[in-house]
Structure formats: C-alpha cells, structure tokens
Amino acid sequence: MMRQYELVEKVLAYDPNADEALLNKAYIYGYKKHGTQKRASGDPYFSHPIEVAAILADLKLDATVVATGLLHDTIEDTDATREEIDEIFGNEIGALVQGLTKISNLKLISRETAQSENLKKLFFAISKDIRVLLVKLADRLHNMRTINFVKPEKRIRIAQETMDIYAPLAGRMGIQFFREELEDICFRILNVDARHTILNRLQAMHEDEEDLLANIVDILNKKLKDAGVSARVIGREKRPYSIFRKMERQSISLEKISDIFAFRIITKNEDDCYRALGLVHTEWPMVPERFKDFISIPKSNDYRSIHTTIIGPTRKRIELQIRTEEMHEVNEYGIASHALYKENIYTNNPKTGAMPGDETEKPGSVPVSEESSAFKWLSQIIESLEDGDAPEQFFEHTKLELFADQAFCFTPKGRLIALPKHATPIDFAYAVHTDIGNTCVGCKINGITSRLRSRLNNGDEVEIITSKGSLPQAIWENFVLTGKAKSAIRRASREERKKQYAHLGKEMLIRIFKKLKIKYSDDKLTAALSVLAFKSIDDLLVAIARNEVRLKQVAIAVAPTLLDSKDIDFLNQQTHFELGASSKTNAIPIRGVSQNLGFIRFSKKYPPIAGERIVGIIKKGEGIIIYPIDADELEIFEDQPDLWVDLVWDLDEGDKNWFTAPIEITLLNEVGALARISTLIADQGCNIWNSFMLSKETDFHHLYMEVEVRDIHHFNILKNSLQTLSIIDDIKRVAGRKFGEITL
Ligand code: MN
C-alpha cells in the first residue's frame, strides 16, 4: 500500500505547486472512512483508492483529481455524505465524488433495457465534468489489475464490459495508456487460447530475432544523428491484443505476422518529423500502401503521427511512427495530456462561480481544450442528451464505437458514420448521402484502395470515390447491410438494369448476325417483333440477354430464308452460356469456361478465377470480356458505365475447372529458394503453368509465375501458405505477361 507521503511526493514531482494539504486531508479522510473494510484480495479497502490516486498521478493530473481518486468510493461505500465532502473539500470535489457515485454500479452490458438508461447516466456524468471519466477509468484500471481475486463468472462479465465500453471510451478520448492496459487484461480473461497462441509465436520469433530490436534502434539513431535531426528512437514489441486485432481486421494468419516490433521516432518539432521521414524513405524502400500522414490530418481522437513501413536494414518490414514529443504526449494521454487538459476551464462561468457538479448547471461546460476533436465528439453526445432523446434513441445514437456490433467509421474530414458491424463501403457511401452511394465506383479504407464489398471495422477511415453518371450495380444489393443502401440500389438499378440488358442483348445479336452474315438493323427487328410476340425492340433485347428467348428463334424470325443447316448448328451451340436463367440477383451468371467461344470470354491479360468477383465489359466487335473486379485495366472503362455488365459465378460443387493466376513473387536470393516455392505449390495441389525470372538483384529476385488453381479459395490458401515462407518478401497477383516481356 502506497504511503501518504509517497503519494504526495509523486504529485509534487511533476507539480511543485500542488495543494499538499488537500492531498493529505483526502488521504486521512479516506483512510478513516474506509476503516477496516477489506477488498476481495484481503487487502485493506483503502489500498484501492490509493492506487486509483496513484494512477491519476501517473497521468500527471492536478491535486484536485488525485484527491478525488482518494475519495471516489467514500459516498458509495462509507457513511460519508456529499454535504460532508463539500464542507471539508469544497463543492468542486464534492460534485466529482458524487458524479462517480452515480455511475459506480452501472451495468453497461446487461441484456435489459436498463442498458441504454445506464449508458445515458454514464455520459451524463462525464458530460458534466470530464474528470469524472478520468477517475472512473483509473478506478476501472485498478479493478482490472486486481480482477484475479474476483469470482470467475463475475470476472468475465466485468472484462466484457471493460472491453466493450471502457477501453474503447478511453481510446476515443485518446488515452492509449489506459486503453492498452485495459485491453491486455481483458484479452487475457476473455480469449485465453488466442492469447496463448500469439504469445508462443512471439516467443519463437523472439529467439530468431533477439538482437534485431536494439540493432534497428542503433541504426536509426545513427542515421538521424548523421543528418542532424535531433530525435529519439524507441523500439517496442507489439502487444498480443494488437496483433490479434490486426489478424482479425486484415484476416491474416498468425504466420503472416512478421513484424512484431514497432519503432517510434520522436522529434523536437514537426519539420523534423518530415526530415526523418525523408531520411528513412531515401535510405530504405517504403511499402506504399502503408504510408499514412496523421500529422496533416489528425485522427478524430486527436492522434497525430506519421505511419510508414519500410523494408529496413535487415530486409525485414519495419513499422515506423514518426511524431513530435508533444504529439507523442497527446497520443498516449489524449484528453489527459497537458496540451489538451486545461486546468482552469471546468467551470461553466468562472465569474458566477457555478460549479460543474451543481444540479442547476446544464451539461456542456467545457472540460478540455476546445481544439480537441475527442471533446467535439463528446459535445455531440451531450447535445443529443440535451435534445432529450428517449433512452432507446440515445442508446442508438450513442453506441458509437463502444459496442461490438457496430462499426464506427469516419469520412476523411472526420465525420463519424455509424454502421452495423460488417457493413460495406457502399453502406458507408449511402449513409453519407444517397447521391454519393449512387455514384460510388471505388473506395479507400484507411488510405488503401479497397473493394467496395470489403467489410468495415470500427475506426476505419473511408474515402468514397465517385464518378459522375455512374450508377449503382444491382449486385451490390447482395452484400450491403443497411436498409437505406438496399432500397436505393434497388430503385436506381431497376431501370439501369433494363438498359444494360438491352445493350447486352443487342451486342449478342450483332455478333451472332455477323457470323450468319446478316446485317443487323433495328428495322429488321421491328419487323420480327410480332412473330416473336414482343412489344418493343428493347423488350426483345432484354429477353435475349436474359435468355428468355433463344437466339435461334430470333435469327429465324428475322431472316427465315437466309439460314442453312450449318447456321442452325452454330445457333444451337450458342446456348452454352445459360445467361440469366438462374439469376437471383439480376446479375448474369457465368457458368462455363469454354473460354474463347462465342461472345463472352475471359480476359487473357487478367484471367478471372472462379468464385472471385467479376465484371463484364462490352467491347465493340469482341463481345463481352470478363475481368476480375480488381483488374487494373478496368480503370479505362470507369467513365463508361454503360459498357459494364454485372456477372456472377454460377458454379456447381462438381465443376472441376482450372483457372490461371499470374503472380509475381519477390524472394530473397537464397540457395534452394525456387525449389522450396515449387514444392509448396505442388503440395497445395496447384500446377505451375509458366514461370520465369523478371529480374535478379543481389538481394532480391523477382519471379513471374502462372499458377493453376481450382477457385479463388484455393488461390488464397496457396498465397497465404507461400507468404509463410521466410524467403518470400512479397507476393501479388498481376496481369499476365508474355515471354517477350522479360526484363532480365
Ligand atoms: Mn472504486
């Protein structure tokens, strides 16, 4: 148990002018009030408030807050009253202790309706004075540190509540110091197995790379010093929970986690951040998609730093964070940091002396620097409190990132968009604005170009790329989650779908007619409409694309006298594609891989793999070319939405086709590397169709390969298992090459 003078000295160490008498008075009052009470551990109860006060002193908070820590359980657990505390310690501390009392036993993850009411109480208490939250978090942190003395069942409930609410809330307020430790303790309780597996892996990697940490710190330090940049470098091992989150977020296997160390360069000023960045980027290759500049665009919890990943001195990927000392403090301590925590701005109106805890006072007084975006977030919640939302509504609006079934994402400008968990960027786009949803063609998640059908996670920053005149794809309806997106897509795509089908039907007809040496014209079709029993050309063309009328019938109706038996044979063949027949989605199902037959074929340069998302592009004179949705070449067609045709795979379990995937592998120049790669590919049941070296450098080799796989799942397994090989630095799917393109 920390002694009285130790606590006082701890505070005086960072605040020589601290109110010593107040701290002593609070210590003695608490000690007397809690008397002989014991904790579950058997320790005297008062050891708990002392530890809470010590944690607040770790945050270097003022004596008022530290004293509140000492007193925080007195009204709740002893015969102390608000009046008595007001009398001895003043109205300010009295209000804080009372605020804490009100929220001391709130159950925040119960299944009952009380949950929303309780969450509202929590935010109401915080909104009156942010210091209530700081003390509450310190209280929870100490309770979590000593949770082993609590019964297992209760332990799990408290850990879940902490993981779901208090840890995210600490993160939202930017207090990483709290968030990280809370998460680590909860992870230990809630996910024993996962944590154990990760720890084992870390241990194994540690043995491999014992000297790496110090080594890289030395190299970075020397580089910075030589260039005259004054900075310090910190290397640290990542926490098991942050590794676990990364695995979840990016759905990568533990084996793929290769970077267990994170490095920080902490400079004196912002200019030096960019100088340091230039230095590392000049010296070592960067990984482009990993670069983020949160200095110019801070995160919504005030976090500022540059993030980059380089292929470092030991040819390993190294994650670097570059920030100034001041940013570092804000990043670690958030609203509790000196830059954001201002001592004298708690009172609503200093002149009248109204105190934040006064019952007459309205929520919304300024507890921290107004520049803090974490504070702005809190203000928004307080506003909705003032609007008098019903508890259920408030709960809905306020879940924010606190609940696991929600994903709270941000626009690049920091606007918060609340979505159901696993929502897609399309849901995000529609949530921002219907027009954005209707015209969205692509997205970036946390700066990385991503698929529109990606699943969003809490805290993702989503940038939607729109294209004027573009229209929603009907297939989106299959994977969006929000009702708003669903109905908008349905509405906007119905007409468009019809247009697209008509277009497709016409392309099919023109191509078929060409083979039959019939010249296509609208007039010829009009003449045949009554025979075929269609009202308009468009209706007929749509029916053709949907396979509701056979091409053969149309050809016979249009040119009954021109067809010979060879033509009829040819027409009979054209039923291979089974267009539209089993479509549930309005997208056109692709079954066959009769690759170069007829008017639909796979792109040779970007061959699609069964099961992945595909799209058709109508090319004049060629028919429809099928591409994987990620193919670079699709960019050319971005402005021509009328050329796009939605396609989906329609494969049976029994379909056993091979699909070619061109890949490029960057591998370390090591003896036997190629043999290991070939063996692994064979072990995964894949064929190597084609392979050649693109370039050889002293350290890295670049290898081009075409592998044959059964479907996209098979391909992903292959790719993941290749990635576990230590000799492989990078592997990516690329456009197909010809032998002539070797750049040896
Ligand atoms: Mn307590």
Side-chain angles (χ1 to χ4, degrees), residues 45 48-49 52 72-73 77 139 143:
Y45 191 89
H48 164 67
V52 172
H72 80 273
D73 278 332
D77 292 335
D139 175 43
N143 284 334

Side-chain angles (χ1 to χ4, degrees), residues 351-364:
K351 277 174 197 153
T352 64
M355 283 303 183
D358 288 355
E359 293 300 327
T360 51
E361 192 236 353
K362 280 190 181 160

Side-chain angles (χ1 to χ4, degrees), residues 300-562:
S300 43
N301 60 1
D302 306 310
Y303 178 95
R304 297 178 79 202
S305 184
I306 293 169
H307 290 187
T308 188
T309 300
I310 53 169
I311 309 292
T314 56
R315 284 198 227 143
K316 277 208 155 286
R317 277 180 172 224
I318 294 174
E319 279 183 31
L320 277 174
Q321 300 174 341
I322 306 172
R323 71 270 298 262
T324 65
E325 292 283 357
E326 191 189 319
M327 291 170 196
H328 185 55
E329 204 213 73
V330 173
N331 295 348
E332 292 297 298
Y333 299 111
I335 51 156
S337 71
H338 264 271
L340 298 178
Y341 175 91
K342 306 257 166 80
E343 280 172 33
N344 298 312
I345 53 173
Y346 292 99
T347 49
N348 208 8
N349 181 349
K351 277 174 197 153
T352 64
M355 283 303 183
D358 288 355
E359 293 300 327
T360 51
E361 192 236 353
K362 280 190 181 160
S365 59
V366 181
V368 285
S369 163
E370 287 170 65
E371 292 130 46
S372 158
S373 14
F375 173 67
K376 280 183 199 130
W377 173 79
L378 206 54
S379 309
Q380 277 168 18
I381 294 185
I382 293 160
E383 262 171 46
S384 76
L385 271 171
E386 285 177 326
D387 289 347
D389 275 358
E392 294 71 26
Q393 273 170 0
F394 172 76
F395 190 59
E396 281 307 310
H397 295 155
T398 316
K399 277 183 196 166
L400 295 157
E401 65 175 359
L402 303 180
F403 290 92
D405 60 342
Q406 292 271 307
F408 295 90
C409 303
F410 299 90
T411 67
K413 283 183 181 162
R415 184 177 151 201
L416 177 84
I417 305 291
L419 296 164
K421 197 178 181 183
H422 299 315
T424 64
I426 300 167
D427 292 296
F428 182 93
Y430 278 105
V432 173
H433 197 280
T434 307
D435 287 345
I436 307 258
N438 281 339
T439 57
C440 82
V441 291
C443 69
K444 286 182 177 177
I445 301 174
N446 301 320
I448 301 167
T449 303
S450 305
R451 291 164 158 223
L452 282 173
R453 68 183 307 173
S454 314
R455 300 296 172 189
L456 294 175
N457 287 298
N458 254 341
D460 279 344
E461 186 185 290
V462 185
E463 184 185 340
I464 297 293
I465 298 150
T466 58
S467 168
K468 234 189 194 165
S470 159
L471 287 154
Q473 308 280 313
I475 196 175
W476 291 354
E477 207 191 311
N478 287 7
F479 50 81
V480 297
L481 288 185
T482 53
K484 184 174 182 187
K486 272 207 166 94
S487 59
I489 292 164
R490 224 171 283 152
R491 210 167 37 241
S493 62
R494 207 176 295 127
E495 273 310 295
E496 179 56 24
R497 183 72 18 203
K498 202 177 159 190
K499 247 165 70 190
Q500 205 179 58
Y501 269 108
H503 198 105
L504 171 62
K506 186 169 176 178
E507 285 297 322
M508 287 163 70
L509 262 194
I510 289 173
R511 197 175 163 84
I512 290 292
F513 278 17
K514 210 166 141 193
K515 294 254 181 193
L516 301 170
K517 303 198 170 53
I518 304 170
K519 196 160 166 41
Y520 174 92
S521 79
D522 284 356
D523 289 347
K524 280 183 188 151
L525 277 198
T526 310
L529 280 178
S530 60
V531 181
L532 293 163
F534 281 94
K535 279 188 197 138
S536 71
I537 295 183
D538 269 1
D539 287 349
L540 173 60
L541 293 173
V542 168
I544 291 170
R546 287 191 168 154
N547 206 25
E548 288 159 6
V549 55
R550 297 278 166 194
L551 287 163
K552 190 169 127 186
Q553 273 175 272
V554 182
I556 292 170
V558 169
T561 56
L562 290 176

Side-chain angles (χ1 to χ4, degrees), residues 11 13 37 51 54 72 97 106 131 151 204 252 255-256 398 476 483 522 551 600 634 663 703-704:
V11 176
Q37 291 173 349
E51 288 303 326
H72 80 273
V97 175
L106 293 178
R131 292 175 294 184
K151 281 192 218 112
I252 43 178
E255 279 64 38
K256 185 66 188 77
T398 316
W476 291 354
D522 284 356
L551 287 163
I600 297 194
L634 291 177
I663 54 173
L703 179 68
Y704 173 83

